[in-house]
């Protein structure tokens, strides 16, 4: 098995059970889930609030389409809008992150009457034709071209290039507040404010893709709140249903008042709606974002102290953490899994990504630091 196989699907670890930040094989071997399967379980595996809500709903009314009012869906809308940044009062549900971004680009075009979309290098917005067109890596795009047109890429984090690209013909700027797949790239302070200013001036929509950064991971419910910037459209998915497949977008009135309309048969179905309501209300009521900020600070401080010169950088915000290695991240992820029972994710060639459930404590953070030290620090000594 190559390292590539390990990350692209054939991990030789048959998982049967999950509880909190831990996963278990049939024979009871315990793994610490430091990737949450790409940030999909912010409350940890099988959180009782979500399990109970889903079990109750699936037995009561599994599905009716969104033309019928259903309490679970109303509750999910209310919870999402209450948790969204102030000013984002319209919400749509869909089935995934890529679909949320598709809808965002559609809405930006209809609200502005323009078509140009400005996206960033190293971005990842999903794998359907529109979101894929706004995604940076050729590897994902080339076999399917031509994709949706009128896309312009600017270097992520560069204020001047962004300002120069946005003009009267721009429908939207789409950015991740911190890039996830691209390597946990934190933009310079002020970058999102610049994005806000230049889109305001041009009458374009600022779309912030919080599919990976949202749901409390960076210490606020949404990463844009750390920067004090409110987008016109915020997209979310991944952790939104704590593991159930659901996405959503929250939008400002001027976007909603345009011709904005998006729907899909399964959008906001009762079962996923019950999961969203339980997930969002538990995150907010129990204030898990604040915990993520605290434990994230602890983790990064301990990692920096333990790894020191053995790595190039430890970066991120809250429990969205990237470790820039001096060697391939796939191998390190594999070693962590096979020899230390820690499941982490690469983000690009040399960045190891930690996105644990927000419910980890100092014990789990220490477990992560010890394993990473064992895998990274000695090897770096002998290589340098
Ligand atoms: C994962 C991801 C997406 C795509 O979400 P899917 O649910 O896989 O379609 C979009 N944007 C970002 C930032 C992501 O991390």
């Amino acid at each position: 098995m190559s390292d590539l196989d390990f990350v692209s699907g054939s991990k030789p670890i048959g998982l049967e059970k999950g509880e909190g930040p831990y996963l278990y094989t049939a024979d009871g071997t315990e793994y610490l889930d430091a990737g949450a399967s790409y940030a999909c379980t912010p409350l940890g595996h099988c959180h009782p609030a979500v399990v109970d809500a889903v079990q109750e709903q699936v037995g009561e009314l599994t599905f009716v389409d969104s033309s019928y009012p259903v309490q679970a869906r109303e509750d999910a809308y209310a919870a999402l809008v209450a948790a969204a940044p102030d000013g984002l009062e319209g919400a749509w549900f869909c089935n995934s992150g890529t679909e949320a971004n598709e809808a965002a680009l559609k809405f930006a075009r209809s609200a502005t009457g323009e078509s140009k979309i400005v996206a960033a290098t190293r971005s990842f917005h999903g794998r359907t034709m529109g979101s894929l067109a706004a995604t940076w890596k050729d590897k994902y795009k080339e076999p399917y071209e031509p994709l949706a047109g009128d896309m312009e890429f600017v270097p992520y984090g560069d204020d001047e290039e962004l300002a120069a690209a946005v003009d009267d013909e721009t429908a939207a700027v789409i950015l991740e507040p911190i890039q996830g797949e691209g390597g946990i790239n934190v933009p310079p302070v002020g970058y999102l404010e610049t994005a806000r200013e230049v889109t305001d001036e041009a009458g374009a929509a600022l779309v912030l893709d919080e599919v990976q950064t949202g749901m409390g991971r960076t210490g606020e419910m949404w990463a844009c709140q750390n920067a004090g910037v409110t987008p016109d459209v915020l997209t979310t998915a991944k952790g939104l249903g704590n593991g159930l497949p659901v996405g959503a977008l929250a939008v400002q009135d001027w976007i909603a008042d345009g011709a904005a309309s998006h729907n899909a048969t399964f959008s906001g179905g009762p079962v996923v709606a019950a999961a969203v309501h339980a997930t969002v209300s538990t995150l907010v009521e129990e204030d898990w974002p604040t915990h993520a900020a605290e434990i994230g600070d602890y983790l990064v401080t301990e990692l920096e102290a333990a790894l020191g010169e053995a790595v190039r950088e430890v970066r991120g915000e809250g429990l969205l953490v990237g470790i820039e290695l001096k060697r391939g991240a796939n191998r390190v992820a594999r070693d962590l899994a096979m020899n230390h029972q820690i499941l982490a994710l690469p983000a690009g060639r040399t960045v190891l990504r930690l996105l644990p459930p927000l419910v980890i404590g100092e014990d789990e953070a220490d477990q992560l630091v010890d394993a990473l030290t064992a895998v990274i620090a000695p090897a770096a000594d002998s290589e340098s």
Side-chain angles (χ1 to χ4, degrees):
M1 192 190 70
S2 74
D3 292 326
L4 188 65
D5 288 340
F6 182 80
V7 288
S8 66
S10 53
K11 297 184 180 69
I13 302 168
L15 298 167
E16 301 283 334
K17 193 177 152 55
E19 194 180 344
Y22 291 101
L23 289 161
Y24 301 87
T25 59
D27 70 6
T29 307
E30 182 179 88
Y31 288 82
L32 175 59
D33 189 359
S37 285
Y38 299 91
C40 285
T41 57
L43 293 172
H45 294 278
C46 300
H47 188 284
V50 183
V51 171
D52 289 352
V54 167
Q55 281 179 341
E56 200 174 304
Q57 187 61 48
V58 79
E60 211 48 58
L61 176 60
T62 303
F63 188 74
V64 287
D65 74 67
S66 59
S67 63
Y68 301 96
V70 171
Q71 193 60 45
R73 186 181 296 116
E74 314 264 307
D75 291 347
Y77 273 117
L80 179 63
V81 170
D86 289 343
L88 301 187
E89 271 154 29
W92 273 261
F93 282 110
C94 58
N95 302 291
S96 66
T98 197
E99 192 189 341
N101 287 328
E102 291 286 334
L105 300 180
K106 282 170 43 178
F107 287 13
R109 284 184 167 184
S110 67
T112 60
E114 303 295 339
S115 64
K116 187 171 98 175
I117 309 291
V118 177
T121 56
R122 297 196 285 176
S123 61
F124 184 86
H125 298 296
R127 295 172 190 255
T128 53
M129 298 298 252
S131 306
L132 189 56
T135 290
W136 170 244
K137 258 198 198 165
D138 281 339
K139 182 184 88 173
Y140 297 134
K141 296 192 287 193
E142 258 166 7
Y144 316 112
E145 285 171 343
L147 304 170
D150 222 354
M151 268 314 144
E152 185 174 334
F153 285 91
V154 293
Y156 186 71
D158 185 324
D159 290 61
E160 281 175 26
E161 295 265 9
L162 179 62
V166 177
D167 57 26
D168 291 348
E169 277 152 32
T170 306
V173 170
I174 181 166
L175 295 170
E176 295 155 85
I178 296 174
Q179 292 184 323
E181 302 302 312
I184 313 297
N185 305 318
V186 184
V189 175
Y191 183 61
L192 295 179
E193 279 108 310
T194 299
R196 181 66 283 175
E197 281 162 26
V198 298
T199 46
D200 276 341
E201 277 163 27
L206 176 61
V207 177
L208 290 182
D209 176 348
E210 296 245 18
V211 171
Q212 194 159 150
T213 51
M215 300 303 289
R217 179 153 298 280
T218 67
E220 293 281 354
M221 192 66 183
W222 312 105
C224 64
Q225 293 169 320
N226 288 313
V229 167
T230 303
D232 300 295
V233 184
L234 179 151
T235 60
T236 169
K238 289 206 163 91
L240 180 62
N242 207 52
L244 270 80
V246 58
L249 51 166
V251 309
Q252 296 209 20
D253 285 346
W254 74 275
I255 300 282
D257 293 345
S261 166
H262 182 78
N263 204 359
T265 303
F266 285 123
S267 294
V271 175
V272 294
V276 170
H277 178 233
T279 304
V280 173
S281 48
T282 304
L283 275 173
V284 171
E285 281 158 25
E286 297 179 2
D287 197 13
W288 287 108
T290 300
H291 178 77
E294 288 165 4
I295 206 78
D297 279 350
Y298 175 80
L299 177 63
V300 167
T301 306
E302 296 291 310
L303 283 172
E304 280 173 340
L307 300 177
E309 297 289 298
V311 297
R312 291 187 204 284
E313 191 183 21
V314 181
R315 58 177 180 252
E317 193 128 29
L319 285 172
L320 180 71
V321 177
I323 304 171
E324 179 90 47
L325 304 168
K326 293 182 174 176
R327 60 196 172 112
N330 283 352
R331 282 222 191 164
V332 170
R334 185 192 155 100
D335 192 355
L336 282 169
M338 304 313 283
N339 302 319
H340 298 272
Q341 289 73 51
I342 303 272
L343 305 178
L345 295 162
R349 217 171 50 76
T350 56
V351 178
L352 188 78
R353 169 170 43 162
L354 305 176
L355 312 165
L358 311 189
V359 300
I360 64 163
E362 287 190 6
D363 285 353
E364 283 84 20
D366 290 342
Q367 198 182 331
L368 266 172
V369 175
D370 290 347
L372 282 158
T373 309
V375 170
I376 295 169
D381 282 348
S382 65
E383 275 170 22
S384 59

